[in-house]
Amino acid sequence: VENGWVLVEALLQGGAPWGFTLQGGLEHGEPLIISKVEEGGKADSLERPLHVGDELVIINDVELSGFRQEAIALVKGSYKTLKITIRRYTCLHSCVS
Amino acid sequence: MTTMMMNQMETTVHYDNGYEDEYMMQEDEWDRDMLLDPAWEQQQRKTFTAWCNSHLRKAGTQIENIEEDFRNGLKLMLLLEVISGERLPKPDRGKMRFHKIANVNKALEFITSKGVKLVSIGAEEIVDGNVKMTLGMIWTIILRFAIQDISVEGGTLMQKSKTQKCDDPLGNLNLAFDIAEKHLDIPKMLDAEDIINTPKPDERAIMTYVSCFYHAFAGAEQAETAANRICKVLGVNQENEKMMEEYERLASELLEWIRRTTPWLENRTPEKTKSEMQRKLEDFRDYRRMHKPPKVQEKCQLEINFNTLQTKLRISNRPAFMPSEGKMVSDIASAWQGLEQAEKGFEEWLLTEIRRLERVDHLAEKFRQKATNHENWASGKELILSQKDYETATLTEIRALLRKHEAFESDLAAHQDRVEQIAAIAQELNELDYYDVASVNQRCQSICDLWDKLGTLTQKRREALERTEKLLETIDQLFLEFSKRSAPFNNWMDGAMEDLQDMFIVHTTEEVQSLIAAHEQFKATLPEADAERQAILGIHNEVQKISQSYGIKSSFINPYSTIATEELLNKWEKVKQLVPQRDGALQEEMARQHAHERLRRQFAAQANLIGPWIQARMEEIGRCSLEIGGTLEDQMTQLKQIEHVIIAYKPNIDKLEGDHQLIQESLVFDNKHTNYTMEHIRVGWELLLTTIARTINEIETQILTRDAKGISQQQMNEFRSSFNHFDRKKNGAMETDDFRACLISMGYDLGEAEFARIMMLVDPNATGIVSFQSFIDFMTRETADTDTAEQVVASFRILAADKPYILVDELRRELPPEQAEYCIMRMPPYAGPGAPPGALDYTAFSTALYGESDL
């Protein structure tokens, strides 16, 4: 953990749709971020649910290069189980200035 | 036979008148004639023994050994009693010597009482068994009690003896002895053989024997007395005359002997040696023991004769005998006294002389011994004292020599006594008149001379040793001084050489200056150091001078110092060389430092211009980029101008680089004339270049963005204003907090997650700042983002006749060919239910296109 960044591992089961939307990617010079989480969806129903703003780091034990196409391919390649590791910025102290 | 005997007796009665001067020869004749001839002694002994026994028989005792049996005096007393018919005093019955002497004395007193003078016969001699004395005493007894009585009738005896013939001497004698024994009861006192064979038979023996005849015949002849009386008287006369003649003769002889002997006794010629004197003493002893006693006897005899004669004359009523002048008894007595006086004197003198010689010999021997010992001791000393060993000695050696010499001096002193003793002995020898005193004196003299010489040499040596010691001590002191001073001086020189050759690294002229100052200070100390050097050298020279002028030859190694004078001098020369060398080096360095300084100043001047200039440009660019009034194009133009100016300024940078190179080549690393280093300038310059490029690029991007997003200039200006407002630090970028404040001011109600997402978007590299471009991107995206994706999906839905998927034909039909093919290639297959094969998912494609994918 550095400065409020945490890594969270999520194991989604049951197959697509997984209930989240990816945005960004190295193709656009942006980080790969979760921009939407479907309410009640698989991503939302985890013990530690995924949040908007989480950055994808690893999919199915594959470290991502940052390209969205790659990430999409890896997600779509999963059948019944999808393992995701995200990086989340958590404010440990009061960040409101 | 008897006649012959008588004749023989007569001849033997005459003493030999042929005396020579040497008394020794007289003595020999006497001995030969009389008592000491063993034959005579034997005869006497025999005869006397027989005679004694003839009388002792009547007392019922005998003697065997005449010299032994009378020693205790008892038989002697008995004999006298028998012969005289008188009683003697009672003898002592003890066995001790004094008893015997007392008894013998009683006998002798009796004899003396009968008018017999016993000269020099003492009781002690008889008790001691002195043969001569004993026989003499017996003879005296015989004479007195037997023969004297015969004297009157001596002629009768002779007459009576004439009858026999002389043809068979031996046989006649023996016959005579036999007849005497048988008929006259006269024992055989003599041997016929003895008498015949001995040239001069013992007179006394014969007389004794003959006396017995008298006694034998005496009784028978009384009838013839009358006629005999006349013969007797005449005979007596004749006899008396004879006796007087005899006396005179004896007296003469004796006096002659005395006269001859006395000078010998009065001679005081000293002999040279003790042995010679001892011989003289021996001669004297012989005289006293052997030669004088007979003379004593002679004197005694003389006295006896005189007495006898006087007695006879008195008895026969004749006038007393008056000896001729000079032969009186008194004369003889006084002459004898004189002799004895001379004897005593002589003996004393002999003893004294012997003692003297003894002493002299002893002294002479002592002298020899002492002189030899001393000479032995002294031999070689002269040589030792003359040694010049001190010339090459060291100080410790000299001291040892002095110790040795001291010891020798005390040895010498100890010998002083001995020399004095030797001299004293020599002196005494001189006083005692030693015969070889000349050689003694010579030796003594040479000893004393040598002694004096030794004394002188000893003194001289002492002086020499002390003098040398002093010199060596002085030298030693000088050495010490030398070492004390040369060591620090040597150190100083070593230090100086080190300092003078010291490598220095300096970077400023001040440093060089201080080194130069230090060097000048050092130079100032040189005269003092030189003085010290002189002083030290002076010490060395002093040592040399002393040793030369006093001829001390020992090698001069300074025991206190290992530094040689040559070493010191060499170092000094080196120091002197090094001083100007250093001067030169320092001057060179000074010049160098000055040159460096010039370079520094040059660089500094340049850099101090360039630095601020760059700074000014940076500010200019900053201002320009923050400006709000005017269009982006205006900004661009300004920036381009600035860029132009910057590019035109490059040569200055190059020149500075050139200056910097020079500085670095000179290994100058500091420059107090400017705070700007080349690196600063470089960095600043590069920053300037990049800044201007970036800023221009930013403006370009802004223009593009404006054009692309359709943002009006006014909108742009609004964005700009907001941005500038929240750019608290005014450095063309917002920080995280600034951005948050900005969003809040724009009405965004942000949770942390949301804000994080937004930050992720505007600052994807997590630099912590939001640039104006990112800000604009964000602002424009936010308003357009979701719409765009939905619009496209909606557009595709229309084309797909409200189906969730689209077909290839439909795309080809509706879109231009290029876009249609692009979509066909890019669209993922639709995976929803009820879709025909080849159905494409336009939703996924759209969201993906706009940066979103639903999964």
Side-chain angles (χ1 to χ4, degrees):
Chain A
V1 176
E2 48 172 287
N3 275 354
W5 292 104
V6 296
L7 290 173
V8 181
E9 207 174 87
L11 187 65
L12 296 141
Q13 289 177 313
W18 302 102
F20 65 93
T21 309
L22 275 180
Q23 193 187 37
L26 208 55
E27 300 94 325
H28 306 281
E30 293 167 5
L32 205 53
I33 305 286
I34 298 176
S35 57
K36 283 205 211 65
V37 177
E38 193 186 318
E39 208 174 300
K42 293 196 177 71
D44 197 31
S45 307
L46 294 168
E47 207 178 288
R48 293 181 78 183
L50 300 176
H51 293 155
V52 171
D54 290 346
E55 185 188 352
L56 266 71
V57 183
I58 304 173
I59 295 177
N60 288 340
D61 295 323
V62 174
E63 282 182 36
L64 300 177
S65 62
F67 288 102
R68 180 132 61 93
Q69 288 298 342
E70 181 204 36
I72 290 168
L74 284 168
V75 170
K76 291 235 178 215
S78 309
Y79 182 50
K80 282 292 179 197
T81 317
L82 177 61
K83 198 156 86 172
I84 299 181
T85 306
I86 55 95
R87 184 164 69 191
R88 183 183 300 153
Y89 183 80
T90 336
C91 220
L92 298 174
H93 319 289
S94 167
C95 300
V96 178
S97 56
Chain B
M1 177 222 351
T2 341
T3 320
M4 194 183 57
M5 278 175 10
M6 282 283 103
N7 284 336
Q8 283 175 333
M9 262 184 69
E10 275 169 13
T11 53
T12 58
V13 168
H14 292 289
Y15 289 83
D16 252 349
N17 280 324
Y19 279 73
E20 292 172 30
D21 264 359
E22 275 295 318
Y23 72 93
M24 293 276 214
M25 293 235 294
Q26 286 176 26
E27 196 74 276
D28 289 345
E29 276 182 2
W30 172 264
D31 287 345
R32 238 187 298 121
D33 286 345
M34 306 308 277
L35 288 163
L36 291 187
D37 186 5
W40 283 96
E41 194 180 288
Q42 197 56 23
Q43 266 185 350
Q44 269 197 15
R45 223 193 277 224
K46 244 182 165 164
T47 311
F48 290 4
T49 307
W51 183 84
C52 290
N53 280 339
S54 74
H55 290 285
L56 284 172
R57 198 181 299 145
K58 296 167 198 164
T61 183
Q62 294 281 273
I63 58 168
E64 302 282 318
N65 193 331
I66 196 165
E67 59 220 45
E68 287 297 318
D69 294 345
F70 283 128
R71 284 176 74 181
N72 66 2
L74 295 172
K75 284 194 179 162
L76 189 62
M77 286 173 80
L78 209 54
L79 178 69
L80 286 168
E81 278 180 353
V82 168
I83 300 167
S84 66
E86 291 170 36
R87 304 288 309 166
L88 264 66
K90 209 155 183 244
D92 291 346
R93 283 289 162 198
K95 291 277 169 38
M96 312 252 338
R97 184 177 160 82
F98 69 85
H99 294 126
K100 294 180 192 175
I101 290 172
N103 292 337
V104 171
N105 269 330
K106 287 191 177 97
L108 292 177
E109 276 160 23
F110 179 76
I111 295 168
T112 316
S113 76
K114 290 295 166 197
V116 179
K117 277 212 179 144
L118 292 170
V119 179
S120 71
I121 294 178
E124 292 194 6
E125 271 105 28
I126 304 299
V127 171
D128 289 342
N130 187 325
V131 175
K132 274 186 256 177
M133 294 298 164
T134 310
L135 291 174
M137 179 190 66
I138 299 297
W139 170 247
T140 309
I141 295 170
I142 294 168
L143 191 66
R144 168 69 183 80
F145 293 102
I147 296 174
Q148 246 167 312
D149 292 341
I150 296 172
S151 63
V152 178
E153 284 133 83
T156 319
L157 209 59
M158 284 188 260
Q159 286 166 8
K160 292 272 188 240
S161 310
K162 277 181 187 159
T163 48
Q164 288 288 87
K165 287 216 173 108
C166 309
D167 35 331
D168 180 13
L170 189 68
N172 291 339
L173 265 175
N174 276 326
L175 184 60
F177 286 151
D178 285 333
I179 293 170
E181 200 171 57
K182 279 196 195 105
H183 301 289
L184 300 175
D185 201 23
I186 297 170
K188 262 195 185 165
M189 298 177 197
L190 304 164
D191 279 343
E193 289 81 0
D194 282 349
I195 295 174
I196 300 287
N197 296 331
T198 317
K200 291 184 188 164
D202 187 2
E203 163 216 0
R204 285 189 184 176
I206 291 169
M207 277 180 79
T208 310
Y209 188 61
V210 166
S211 78
C212 296
F213 278 91
Y214 158 70
H215 287 291
F217 288 126
E221 297 309 314
Q222 271 178 355
E224 297 170 37
T225 304
N228 292 339
R229 189 177 300 274
I230 295 161
C231 296
K232 210 165 69 175
V233 166
L234 292 175
V236 163
N237 237 36
Q238 280 173 333
E239 264 183 42
N240 288 346
E241 280 172 6
K242 250 196 221 136
M243 283 184 84
M244 286 180 212
E245 280 167 21
E246 190 60 28
Y247 175 86
E248 294 273 324
R249 192 184 60 87
L250 276 176
S252 297
E253 281 174 10
L254 191 65
L255 283 169
E256 183 60 32
W257 179 83
I258 289 174
R259 206 179 41 251
R260 248 197 325 270
T261 309
T262 309
W264 172 71
L265 289 173
E266 285 172 348
N267 183 3
R268 295 286 182 271
T269 320
E271 297 300 316
K272 287 217 184 89
T273 66
K274 188 169 98 172
S275 41
E276 280 169 4
M277 283 303 275
Q278 273 179 324
R279 236 197 326 264
K280 254 199 161 93
L281 188 66
E282 226 175 89
D283 292 344
F284 180 74
R285 232 191 344 269
D286 284 343
Y287 157 79
R288 280 298 271 107
R289 285 176 58 175
M290 296 187 307
H291 303 132
K292 191 185 170 205
K295 294 297 172 192
V296 169
Q297 290 236 287
E298 263 184 41
K299 178 168 170 287
C300 179
Q301 188 60 47
L302 205 60
E303 281 171 21
I304 291 173
N305 290 353
F306 186 76
N307 288 337
T308 309
L309 186 60
Q310 297 295 59
T311 309
K312 277 174 101 169
L313 287 171
R314 194 169 17 90
I315 290 172
S316 47
N317 283 319
R318 302 288 161 83
F321 168 51
M322 205 49 143
S324 52
E325 210 171 309
K327 300 200 182 125
M328 308 268 273
V329 174
S330 54
D331 297 323
I332 292 172
S334 65
W336 190 259
Q337 212 177 23
L339 178 79
E340 294 203 317
Q341 203 71 3
E343 270 176 20
K344 201 160 95 171
F346 188 63
E347 191 170 27
E348 274 171 21
W349 174 78
L350 280 177
L351 290 176
T352 309
E353 267 306 294
I354 286 174
R355 251 183 244 116
R356 180 188 76 88
L357 284 174
E358 211 172 40
R359 176 141 182 82
V360 161
D361 278 352
H362 167 71
L363 277 179
E365 187 49 40
K366 206 163 147 181
F367 176 86
R368 260 189 292 282
Q369 245 185 21
K370 280 187 180 287
T372 308
N373 284 343
H374 181 81
E375 281 161 1
N376 286 341
W377 172 85
S379 84
K381 297 282 188 290
E382 194 178 347
L383 212 60
I384 292 170
L385 285 173
S386 307
Q387 271 179 316
K388 293 252 185 273
D389 49 356
Y390 48 82
E391 277 180 357
T392 54
T394 67
L395 186 57
T396 25
E397 283 168 0
I398 278 279
R399 292 208 174 111
L401 286 177
L402 266 171
R403 296 283 110 64
K404 241 173 114 175
H405 191 68
E406 265 174 43
F408 175 76
E409 279 172 334
S410 55
D411 189 23
L412 196 75
H415 274 77
Q416 173 74 21
D417 266 4
R418 290 187 213 171
V419 173
E420 283 173 359
Q421 276 173 21
I422 289 170
I425 291 172
Q427 176 65 21
E428 201 175 339
L429 280 171
N430 274 306
E431 284 166 4
L432 289 177
D433 205 15
Y434 178 54
Y435 77 96
D436 197 15
V437 80
S439 71
V440 161
N441 286 337
Q442 197 182 35
R443 197 167 175 188
C444 185
Q445 188 60 41
S446 66
I447 285 174
C448 289
D449 288 342
L450 183 62
W451 182 252
D452 290 337
K453 205 166 176 195
L454 286 182
T456 316
L457 285 175
T458 304
Q459 180 60 26
K460 278 225 190 89
R461 185 169 166 83
R462 167 156 281 274
E463 285 164 8
L465 285 176
E466 282 179 348
R467 190 183 60 235
T468 311
E469 187 194 24
K470 241 195 208 37
L471 286 172
L472 288 180
E473 271 177 358
T474 309
I475 288 175
D476 195 63
Q477 278 303 109
L478 287 172
F479 275 155
L480 190 61
E481 176 83 14
F482 181 90
S483 80
K484 278 197 202 151
R485 290 173 83 159
S486 64
F489 185 70
N490 189 47
N491 284 343
W492 176 85
M493 281 201 294
D494 283 341
M497 284 202 292
E498 231 179 78
D499 290 343
L500 289 170
Q501 294 175 316
D502 180 38
M503 304 293 285
F504 46 78
I505 307 278
V506 292
H507 300 106
T508 67
T509 50
E510 287 80 20
E511 283 174 46
V512 181
Q513 194 53 51
S514 64
L515 285 178
I516 287 174
H519 185 64
E520 289 304 313
Q521 256 185 341
F522 171 75
K523 286 204 281 196
T525 64
L526 284 180
E528 206 182 298
D530 196 28
E532 181 68 7
R533 182 189 67 94
Q534 301 275 42
I536 291 173
L537 195 62
I539 295 173
H540 173 81
N541 291 339
E542 182 78 14
V543 168
Q544 300 285 56
K545 199 174 77 172
I546 291 177
S547 66
Q548 266 167 21
S549 54
Y550 289 100
I552 299 171
K553 297 183 191 79
S554 75
S555 68
F556 280 109
I557 300 170
N558 189 335
Y560 305 111
S561 169
T562 54
I563 303 164
T565 313
E566 293 79 37
E567 209 184 312
L568 288 176
L569 293 175
N570 289 342
K571 276 192 192 171
W572 179 255
E573 287 309 307
K574 206 148 168 227
V575 166
K576 291 240 305 263
Q577 271 174 20
L578 287 174
V579 167
Q581 273 181 28
R582 187 155 176 92
D583 272 322
L586 286 173
Q587 289 308 321
E588 261 180 47
E589 187 63 23
M590 190 54 132
R592 223 159 57 99
Q593 287 305 319
H594 279 310
H596 287 176
E597 190 65 6
R598 273 196 298 280
L599 287 177
R600 279 201 203 89
R601 285 190 197 276
Q602 198 169 311
F603 178 86
Q606 251 325 81
N608 286 341
L609 289 175
I610 293 175
W613 185 88
I614 292 177
Q615 189 65 27
R617 298 290 79 72
M618 285 291 283
E619 283 167 6
E620 218 178 343
I621 294 168
R623 270 200 308 278
C624 186
S625 63
L626 291 174
E627 220 178 73
I628 301 167
T631 62
L632 287 171
E633 280 72 16
D634 291 334
Q635 271 185 322
M636 179 60 78
T637 316
Q638 268 181 352
L639 287 171
K640 284 279 184 198
Q641 266 178 350
I642 292 170
E643 191 184 35
H644 197 74
V645 165
I646 288 169
I647 288 166
Y649 198 71
K650 180 109 187 341
N652 292 309
I653 305 294
D654 290 337
K655 179 158 182 309
L656 193 67
E657 284 279 3
D659 289 342
H660 181 247
Q661 185 172 345
L662 286 176
I663 283 182
Q664 281 203 323
E665 279 169 357
S666 304
L667 302 175
V668 177
F669 300 116
D670 65 301
N671 195 336
K672 68 175 191 290
H673 302 295
T674 175
N675 291 327
Y676 295 110
T677 66
M678 192 66 230
E679 194 61 19
H680 277 146
I681 302 291
R682 274 197 209 116
V683 163
W685 177 254
E686 276 159 18
L687 190 62
L688 186 66
L689 290 177
T690 48
T691 304
I692 191 67
R694 187 168 48 79
T695 311
I696 287 173
N697 182 250
E698 273 181 15
I699 300 299
E700 280 173 354
T701 317
Q702 281 178 32
I703 290 171
L704 277 171
T705 311
R706 182 196 62 194
D707 291 345
K709 297 199 180 180
I711 304 170
S712 67
Q713 187 58 44
Q714 192 191 358
Q715 235 175 339
M716 200 62 129
N717 291 340
E718 277 173 28
F719 285 143
R720 188 84 233 175
S721 161
S722 298
F723 189 83
N724 283 350
H725 177 76
F726 287 101
D727 175 16
R728 273 193 273 253
K729 294 213 176 98
K730 300 288 178 270
N731 48 11
M734 273 200 285
E735 290 180 15
T736 318
D737 295 342
D738 301 340
F739 186 55
R740 194 201 301 275
C742 182
L743 290 176
I744 290 169
S745 80
M746 285 195 288
Y748 282 85
D749 179 17
L750 296 174
E752 281 309 308
E754 198 58 19
F755 183 70
R757 183 185 74 88
I758 293 167
M759 274 311 295
M760 198 62 63
L761 294 173
V762 301
D763 180 21
N765 297 323
T767 58
I769 54 166
V770 180
S771 66
F772 186 58
Q773 188 60 43
S774 317
F775 180 65
I776 290 176
D777 286 344
F778 170 73
M779 296 307 288
T780 49
R781 182 188 295 120
E782 278 298 296
T783 51
D785 203 16
T786 16
D787 290 1
T788 312
E790 281 171 9
Q791 275 181 349
V792 170
V793 167
S795 300
F796 272 114
R797 198 185 310 263
I798 294 167
L799 292 183
D802 234 7
K803 292 199 297 295
Y805 56 87
I806 196 164
L807 299 168
V808 173
D809 301 330
E810 288 167 320
L811 284 169
R812 282 201 181 116
R813 194 173 55 222
E814 303 299 333
L815 291 174
E818 205 177 308
Q819 274 85 349
E821 291 315 307
Y822 186 82
C823 288
I824 291 163
M825 219 161 47
R826 289 265 150 65
M827 273 191 193
Y830 182 75
L840 300 169
D841 186 350
Y842 58 82
T843 313
F845 174 74
S846 302
T847 55
L849 204 59
Y850 282 87
E852 261 189 28
S853 310
D854 287 323
L855 295 167

